Amino acid sequence: MTAPHQPGPTGHRAAPESEDHDLLAALLDGMDAALCAFDADGHVTHWNREAERILGWTPDEAVGRRGLGGWAAREADAEEVTGRLLGVMKSPGRQVDEFALLTKDGRRVLVRVQSSTVPGTDGRPAGVYCAFSEVHTQIDLERSVALSEALFGDASWGVVLVDADLRPALANAHAARALRTSRTALLGRPLGELLDQGVEEVEGALQHVLAAGAPPAPTELWVTVRDHGGGPSPVPERRCWRSGFLRLATPLVEEPVPLGVAWLFLDVTKTRLAEQESARLRFRGSQLHRAGRAVAECEDPMEAAALYMDFALAGFADHALIDLLPEPRPVPEGPIRLIRVAATPAWAPGQSPLTSPGGLPVPYLDGHPALQAVERCGSVRAAADRSENWAATRKWPDGTRHALSTALRSRGRTVGVVTFLRGGSRRAFDRADAIYAEDIASRVAASIDLAVATM
């Protein structure tokens, strides 16, 4: 070794060799992997703190020993272990082995060792450098990596990693397809550019997870995905995603620092829509059953018709109107006149009051849905356009945005039409609604036909 530097004006200074040795010792002790080194004769020259943690032997007890036999390995295994470790000096590259080593208290620990040659100044092998860890720790790491690869591969559910700014940082193929974009195109974009309806709920859930941790159970979120193609924009379709959230925190600091949120979701739209449709059918069947029992106690057939309509309104429409032809006809021809006989109150939903059937015709314009339903002897659906007086011109209550008119048919004749109305807060009528309306209309028509026959 060279002589240390002489003290300068500001005090003593250690020799460069001492500084290098201290730096190397600090680097070795600060590493997360267990490290040890052997010289060409097999003597231990380095032993860091992680190696001490795994096997229990301190650096003072390990450094200077020849081989591992008798202390860190059983005597029966010592020759094989030492031979395989030092044998790396005779072959290029790294070598990976698994050994059963001994801890200081006598327990056996299975470790995975990566060893490589340490070249000397002349280029010839001067020793062996080894890094080892417990096999179960290595296997846990490999499983974690494999799990991440599997999740972000072709998993059957969507996985999105969202950073602390609520922007996607990583997504798998399933999530990209659900969001109608590519895996790279969605990265770093605000969720508002990916989702239309439901973005507030998603962002609220992510913020809650970042602040308070994952919820105890999955939650279902209804969203509408924005279209990112270049063609015509399709009709927005609401999707139900069953979502789970996990807060991600770095393990490298004492206090957990949130890195973001893992959002896992599965599209359960078909299941939920089927459940809703089943519940809707059960409710409507129950309403028809209750209406039938109530109608059986009515002496007046017209009162029975209004009662049927009132039961049908529950959960189905906001308002309903019954208009009758002056005379029942098998196939209505010529100018069609309709006379209002029952209607829910225009100012609020409620029971349908009966009016005198001898009143004046309702001034419907040509092409009115009620007139079309009578002409076709079927059902006609209508939805509001952008005009402000759409409902007023059709003689419907203010706020009406959706309508369904169904002809009242009994004994092969059309006796009138029933019209169901919905406001802007409700969805448009669909084919299933038309079928239900036709079922109601057949019962209402029978009661009205009986009332007309007994007049």
Side-chain angles (χ1 to χ4, degrees):
M1 295 178 61
T2 59
H5 287 282
Q6 297 297 323
T10 57
H12 294 278
R13 183 178 180 184
E17 289 83 354
S18 177
E19 290 180 350
D20 292 344
H21 183 274
D22 293 342
L23 176 61
L24 177 60
L27 290 174
L28 292 177
D29 286 339
M31 300 187 72
D32 293 332
L35 302 172
C36 66
F38 301 88
D39 61 17
D41 297 327
H43 292 89
V44 179
T45 59
H46 295 82
W47 190 269
N48 74 344
R49 293 185 184 276
E50 184 64 15
E52 177 185 353
R53 186 193 68 79
I54 294 176
L55 297 179
W57 301 97
T58 66
D60 292 338
E61 296 171 326
V63 174
R65 291 179 180 265
R66 188 177 188 281
L68 300 177
W71 61 288
R74 295 189 310 170
E75 289 291 352
D77 301 331
E79 183 177 353
E80 178 186 2
V81 171
T82 303
R84 291 171 68 178
L85 289 176
L86 299 182
V88 73
M89 291 189 293
K90 301 178 182 178
S91 58
R94 287 186 177 181
Q95 179 176 298
V96 178
D97 298 289
E98 290 186 0
F99 303 123
L101 300 182
L102 289 177
T103 63
K104 189 174 182 179
D105 56 6
R107 294 182 298 106
R108 299 187 72 189
V109 178
L110 184 63
V111 299
R112 181 172 295 176
V113 182
Q114 294 188 35
S115 54
S116 59
T117 302
V118 178
T121 55
D122 56 357
R124 300 174 61 185
V128 177
Y129 168 88
C130 301
F132 64 91
S133 61
E134 296 178 79
V135 167
H136 72 83
T137 303
Q138 182 72 19
I139 291 176
D140 288 344
L141 175 60
E142 293 177 358
R143 284 174 178 165
S144 298
V145 174
L147 175 61
S148 299
E149 292 295 329
L151 287 176
F152 289 98
D154 295 325
S156 59
W157 56 87
V159 182
V160 180
L161 293 189
V162 183
D163 61 22
D165 295 327
L166 305 186
R167 295 172 182 259
L170 193 60
N172 68 349
H174 185 99
R177 288 193 299 269
L179 292 168
R180 298 179 184 174
T181 184
S182 64
R183 295 179 64 180
T184 55
L186 61 84
L187 302 183
R189 299 176 61 180
L191 292 176
E193 295 184 5
L194 302 172
L195 301 175
D196 187 4
Q197 298 178 357
V199 64
E200 296 85 0
E201 289 77 2
V202 174
E203 290 181 343
L206 295 173
Q207 290 172 347
H208 172 79
V209 174
L210 284 173
T219 184
E220 293 182 358
L221 301 172
W222 285 89
V223 301
T224 300
V225 181
R226 293 185 182 275
D227 181 59
H228 304 287
S233 179
V235 177
E237 184 179 7
R238 297 184 70 226
R239 311 299 301 177
C240 181
W241 290 348
R242 185 171 178 83
S243 303
F245 301 93
L246 297 172
R247 182 169 61 178
L248 305 179
T250 175
L252 302 180
V253 295
E254 295 182 2
E255 293 293 332
V257 177
L259 297 177
V261 178
W263 175 23
L264 294 83
F265 63 87
L266 185 66
D267 194 321
V268 294
T269 307
K270 291 184 179 179
T271 302
R272 291 297 167 265
L273 291 179
E275 291 176 353
Q276 291 178 4
E277 182 63 22
S278 178
R280 186 181 301 117
L281 291 176
R282 287 196 303 269
F283 176 75
R284 290 177 177 177
S286 174
Q287 287 296 98
L288 291 177
H289 174 73
R290 294 174 58 199
R293 292 180 62 88
V295 166
E297 304 299 325
C298 292
E299 297 181 1
D300 184 359
M302 288 300 296
E303 183 182 352
L307 192 59
Y308 266 124
M309 191 169 62
D310 291 336
F311 272 95
L313 279 178
F316 181 67
D318 297 324
H319 303 283
L321 313 171
I322 294 180
D323 300 324
L324 298 185
L325 290 169
E327 294 182 2
R329 303 177 188 176
V331 179
E333 298 177 356
I336 298 173
R337 295 187 307 125
L338 294 173
I339 301 173
R340 179 68 45 81
V341 295
T344 53
W347 55 89
Q351 187 175 5
S352 305
L354 296 174
T355 61
S356 173
L360 296 175
V362 183
Y364 287 144
L365 299 178
D366 292 339
H368 192 280
L371 300 179
Q372 294 183 34
V374 173
E375 292 173 352
R376 300 176 186 180
C377 298
S379 298
V380 175
R381 286 174 281 168
D385 53 25
R386 296 183 179 179
S387 61
E388 297 181 358
N389 57 347
W390 183 83
T393 57
R394 288 159 178 79
K395 308 304 177 183
W396 291 332
D398 291 339
T400 298
R401 307 300 294 172
H402 310 289
L404 172 60
S405 295
T406 301
L408 298 172
R409 298 279 295 178
S410 177
R411 295 191 296 164
R413 302 178 302 167
T414 300
V415 298
V417 60
V418 58
T419 301
F420 297 99
L421 307 174
R422 288 177 177 172
S425 61
R426 306 179 68 134
R427 62 178 179 83
F429 290 99
D430 56 20
R431 180 55 186 162
D433 295 328
I435 294 175
Y436 179 61
E438 290 167 0
D439 193 2
I440 292 294
S442 64
R443 300 165 187 258
V444 173
S447 297
I448 292 175
D449 193 17
L450 177 61
V452 173
T454 58
M455 282 183 182

